[in-house]
Amino acid sequence: MHEDFAMVIFWPESETLYNLTSSARYSKEFTEVLHGESDEHNECRRVEDTFNVENAIMTDGGADVQEADD
């Protein structure tokens, strides 16, 4: 098993919230709780699928996170 994180950034002077999470399974739900329903959600992507990272930790024996959560 692995654990995910969620982070929310806000500034008291504005009502703008930014959020990010390592959870592919719950990223859309986190976004909807904070910002309401929207079509502007960005799907969670693994770092090794986006950048050439040699020492990335593979979860689930290297299986795709979306597949592992199904």
Side-chain angles (χ1 to χ4, degrees):
M1 293 183 66
H2 71 280
E3 296 179 14
D4 290 308
F5 70 88
M7 181 171 76
V8 177
I9 301 169
F10 65 95
W11 288 267
E13 304 84 36
S14 74
E15 295 187 20
T16 303
L17 294 174
Y18 298 94
N19 69 288
L20 64 99
T21 179
S22 64
S23 174
R25 179 181 274 181
Y26 296 110
S27 66
K28 185 169 185 168
E29 184 177 341
F30 288 152
T31 301
E32 288 177 354
V33 166
L34 292 170
H35 304 282
E37 288 191 39
S38 172
D39 292 334
E40 297 183 25
H41 174 259
N42 293 316
E43 291 297 323
C44 184
R45 296 184 304 180
R46 293 196 50 84
V47 68
E48 67 270 17
D49 293 339
T50 306
F51 301 102
N52 184 18
V53 178
E54 294 181 19
N55 62 347
I57 297 171
M58 301 301 288
T59 59
D60 300 303
D64 182 68
V65 173
Q66 291 288 357
E67 291 175 14
D69 287 342
D70 292 340

